Amino acid sequence: MSVATTSLADVASSEAALRAFLHGLPGVDRVGADQRAAMLGTRSIKTTAKARAIDLAISMV
């Protein structure tokens, strides 16, 4: 099952299909995630937007 050609219905059809789909996804690049989070922390955007962006980055890891 290819990640690019898998439909949502196929993925949701069973726990095994979901597990196969998730295992086919690339891993998180820890260094890249840390660099992105550090960059978001230094951007000059409003405090509330910055907090939401950092929360989003953390939730994606």
Side-chain angles (χ1 to χ4, degrees):
M1 188 178 317
S2 170
V3 173
T5 60
T6 304
S7 74
L8 183 58
D10 291 337
V11 171
S13 66
S14 70
E15 185 176 334
L18 177 59
R19 189 176 311 274
F21 176 79
L22 292 175
H23 283 290
L25 294 174
V28 174
D29 175 16
R30 174 68 184 245
V31 174
D34 289 344
Q35 288 174 344
R36 179 74 173 139
M39 185 188 76
L40 287 172
T42 61
R43 289 183 57 193
S44 59
I45 56 178
K46 293 183 179 176
T47 304
T48 55
K50 186 186 299 185
R52 278 192 235 136
I54 291 171
D55 286 344
L56 176 62
I58 291 170
S59 72
M60 295 171 79
V61 174

